[in-house]
Amino acid sequence: MAYLCQVFPVNWTKRQEAWKTCDSLVKESGNPACLKSCHECVFLPQGYPESVSDDYLQYQFWDTVQAFSSSLSGTLATQASLRGVGVGNQEATVAAATVTWLLRDGTGMLGRILFAWQKGSKLDSEAKKWRLFADVLNDIAMFMEILAPYFPGCFTVIVCTAGIFKSLVGVAGGATRAALTVHQARRDNMADISAKDGSQETLVNLAGLLVSLMLIPLVTDNPILTVSLFFLFTALHLFANYKAVRSVVMETLNEARLSILLQQYLKDRRILSPTEANQREPVLLEFRKTGPIKLGVRLQEVIESPEDLTLALKENTMPFLVGVRNGCVCVCLAPEASVRDEIRAMCQAVWLRSKLSIPTSRDPPMQSNWEMVHESHKLMDTIFNPFLKGVEAAGWDITRTLLDWDEWRVEWKTKSY
């Protein structure tokens, strides 16, 4: 006996009701009252809102505002750049303008390669910080392009510097956008979310183009109005970007969020939810580092002698080694270490860093550092299991992390007598 079956999409009943309501509204009023539904089909991922994270709509709203203001600022900067290379100036040559443009693009390409080499691994673990950094740097680059025509002797240098900044923006902005797309995708629909995000941005840029056509006649040969409008759009751009990154609630653990969770747990045994921890997470880059943590380092950065190895293994039954060198907490990871071990190692490193940050009259000797390491092992033996269970129960994803581990792995053996 053969059976005929049909597979319906998620929430099929609700969708049928919505379509019937839409059809009735169209028939009664003759008006496309279901434009909202059409908008969702064109500009929102399939299955919205179930197919995306809860923070998707708020983030996309502020991202749209910042893209619109950035489009207007970009128009002002482009006009200034064209005037600077000689557009409208009969004495300017095509060769000189071409050389300037090529130098700007060439320096930007080199900057893109160097930045990706130096900071590529940080863009996943600190996506919010680098996202905001990219937009601030983009505004600085556009401001330099606006000022460049008024300094003809340094025009090429200024434009090339702005080109380098924009190349950094391209790397940081594109990479962090990809990281946020991974967070927003709830059905492994990253391509769909990325494609719809591109459609939204295209629509916003089109709206910005129409407004720019009205602005250009007003700002031409009017530097005061140009600069005033630029600062207005920049203020809106930065505000919208700050609100956008603040609206993101990531459930994966990075160094900042894990540190916030652990400190709160040690204080009152309370586990913060992802929303609470993300609200406390800093979104501004900190270029002044005190007591950094290095994860996945070589053995030589933790152990100087056989005696140090004995001290590192004391009170330690875990597949990682923790040590303190020159005020820096270093962690060596064994090849068999799991995600759970990585989280525990990071918790110990965070606790040690908090101990090292306490001001003292003089630097502690190496032995006191090893004593703190031994104390951290004992502390984690006591609190880590209930802490991790509470973290998972609060809604955090502990199957993977965004901790910035280096690629080094270390194997060691102990002698038995």
Side-chain angles (χ1 to χ4, degrees):
M1 182 179 293
Y3 294 91
L4 178 65
C5 63
Q6 184 174 0
V7 179
F8 296 101
V10 179
N11 294 332
W12 173 254
T13 304
K14 292 183 179 179
R15 287 175 186 250
Q16 277 188 320
E17 293 175 356
W19 289 340
K20 289 178 182 178
T21 304
C22 179
D23 290 339
S24 63
L25 287 172
V26 173
K27 290 177 181 178
E28 290 175 5
S29 62
N31 235 341
C34 55
L35 278 177
K36 179 181 177 182
S37 178
C38 295
H39 174 270
E40 290 182 0
C41 294
V42 176
F43 294 104
L44 295 176
Q46 184 179 8
Y48 173 86
E50 292 86 1
S51 62
V52 295
S53 59
D54 294 336
D55 55 14
Y56 177 82
L57 188 61
Q58 187 176 2
Y59 172 80
Q60 291 301 126
F61 170 77
W62 289 112
D63 189 56
T64 299
V65 174
Q66 71 87 18
F68 180 73
S69 56
S70 180
S71 177
L72 299 180
S73 300
T75 299
L76 301 177
T78 301
Q79 184 192 38
S81 297
L82 293 175
R83 186 169 65 250
V85 297
V87 175
N89 185 358
Q90 296 180 352
E91 298 179 358
T93 63
V94 176
T98 303
V99 169
T100 301
W101 217 259
L102 290 176
L103 286 175
R104 189 194 73 160
D105 290 347
T107 52
M109 292 174 187
L110 292 175
R112 186 179 297 113
I113 293 172
L114 292 175
F115 180 75
W117 168 49
Q118 286 291 323
K119 298 297 182 180
S121 62
K122 298 287 185 182
L123 301 178
D124 280 308
S125 59
E126 298 179 343
K128 294 183 187 179
K129 291 183 179 181
W130 286 106
R131 176 71 179 174
L132 190 58
F133 168 81
D135 288 298
V136 172
L137 196 61
N138 189 47
D139 290 333
I140 294 174
M142 288 191 292
F143 183 61
M144 293 175 66
E145 289 178 342
I146 290 176
L147 292 181
Y150 303 103
F151 300 92
C154 303
F155 178 81
T156 302
V157 175
I158 295 175
V159 169
C160 288
T161 304
I164 293 174
F165 287 173
K166 284 195 171 183
S167 69
L168 305 187
V169 171
V171 176
T176 53
R177 182 183 293 273
L180 293 176
T181 301
V182 172
H183 156 70
Q184 292 171 342
R186 288 296 185 260
R187 295 182 183 169
D188 294 327
N189 54 339
M190 291 176 288
D192 185 26
I193 291 178
S194 180
K196 297 302 171 55
D197 184 68
S199 297
Q200 295 169 23
E201 189 170 351
T202 302
L203 181 64
V204 171
N205 289 335
L206 180 60
L209 177 63
L210 296 176
V211 175
S212 298
L213 290 175
M214 294 184 289
L215 282 179
I216 289 175
L218 300 176
V219 300
T220 301
D221 299 324
N222 193 338
I224 296 179
L225 181 60
T226 300
V227 174
S228 300
L229 287 176
F230 174 78
F231 279 119
L232 175 63
F233 297 145
T234 298
L236 178 61
H237 179 239
L238 294 178
F239 174 76
N241 269 294
Y242 179 80
K243 296 291 288 185
V245 296
R246 272 297 180 202
S247 67
V248 176
V249 179
M250 304 190 79
E251 298 89 3
T252 46
L253 296 170
N254 65 355
E255 180 180 331
R257 293 189 285 273
L258 183 56
S259 177
I260 292 169
L261 287 175
L262 182 62
Q263 290 173 2
Q264 185 66 46
Y265 184 78
L266 292 175
K267 181 180 179 181
D268 57 11
R269 292 298 187 268
R270 184 166 68 93
I271 301 293
L272 298 177
S273 67
T275 302
E276 292 172 318
N278 277 267
Q279 289 174 351
R280 299 186 187 184
E281 182 185 6
V283 295
L284 298 177
L285 283 176
E286 301 171 358
F287 293 99
R288 182 180 60 87
K289 289 189 176 181
T290 56
I293 296 175
K294 293 182 180 180
L295 304 175
V297 300
R298 293 175 296 178
L299 184 64
Q300 293 83 350
E301 297 190 46
V302 177
I303 305 300
E304 287 184 326
S305 64
E307 290 77 14
D308 285 342
L309 180 59
T310 302
L311 291 171
L313 292 173
K314 184 180 179 182
E315 307 289 346
N316 181 18
T317 59
M318 305 304 299
F320 57 80
L321 300 177
V322 183
V324 179
R325 290 283 296 276
N326 301 321
C328 176
V329 182
C330 302
V331 181
C332 292
L333 200 64
E336 67 273 13
S338 63
V339 175
R340 178 190 179 93
D341 298 325
E342 292 179 2
I343 296 175
R344 170 163 173 160
M346 189 65 197
C347 287
Q348 290 188 225
V350 167
W351 184 84
L352 283 169
R353 182 179 60 182
S354 66
K355 288 294 183 180
L356 292 172
S357 63
I358 299 175
T360 56
S361 58
R362 60 185 180 85
D363 293 334
M366 184 61 67
Q367 183 61 33
S368 65
N369 285 340
W370 283 118
E371 289 174 356
M372 285 191 293
V373 171
H374 301 155
E375 185 180 351
S376 71
H377 285 299
K378 294 178 181 178
L379 176 66
M380 288 301 135
D381 288 339
T382 303
I383 71 165
F384 181 71
N385 286 336
F387 170 72
L388 193 62
K389 289 180 180 178
V391 167
E392 186 176 13
W396 291 92
D397 181 9
I398 62 171
T399 61
R400 64 187 185 94
T401 67
L402 293 175
L403 302 175
D404 189 23
W405 289 92
D406 205 343
E407 294 303 313
W408 293 97
R409 296 296 181 265
V410 179
E411 291 184 348
W412 61 88
K413 294 181 180 180
T414 56
K415 293 183 179 180
S416 56
Y417 298 96

